[in-house]
Amino acid sequence: MRVFAIDTRNMGPELQGGLIGVVGSINPSAEEKRECVETVSGYALDGWAIAADPRTPVGRLAALTAETACVPFVAFDRVAQRGGPVVGPTTLSAATRELS
């Protein structure tokens, strides 16, 4: 699973606390799922909004965890549906942090 920061300086006030993106493998292990819930929960407690693709297993977990923590969730699939550019973690200029 990878977590990356998204620049929110030009976004709405609900995202000014910070936004992280979460990307995981197509077939996540139980360990990766646990790591997703723990990581998203930790950032959510600090007031960060969460972004992920809810069509993926890790994305669904991130969405459910964000909803449970009552923090904003940005769905990557909605950006693509509305014709906006989808920026993947490999094309982001923000720092990417690998979690082990």
Side-chain angles (χ1 to χ4, degrees), residues 16-20 39-50 69 71:
Q16 292 303 308
L19 176 64
I20 63 159
T39 301
V40 170
S41 295
Y43 278 100
L45 286 174
D46 290 338
W48 289 70
I50 310 301
V71 296

Side-chain angles (χ1 to χ4, degrees), residues 1-6 19-23 40 48-52 62 76 89 92:
M1 184 183 84
R2 295 191 300 172
V3 176
F4 50 95
I6 299 171
L19 176 64
I20 63 159
V22 180
V23 177
V40 170
W48 289 70
I50 310 301
F76 287 149
L92 283 176

Side-chain angles (χ1 to χ4, degrees), residues 3-7 19 87-97:
V3 176
F4 50 95
I6 299 171
D7 183 0
L19 176 64
V87 180
T90 57
T91 59
L92 283 176
S93 60
T96 300
R97 180 178 71 175

Side-chain angles (χ1 to χ4, degrees), residues 3 11 29 83:
V3 176
M11 295 184 185
S29 65

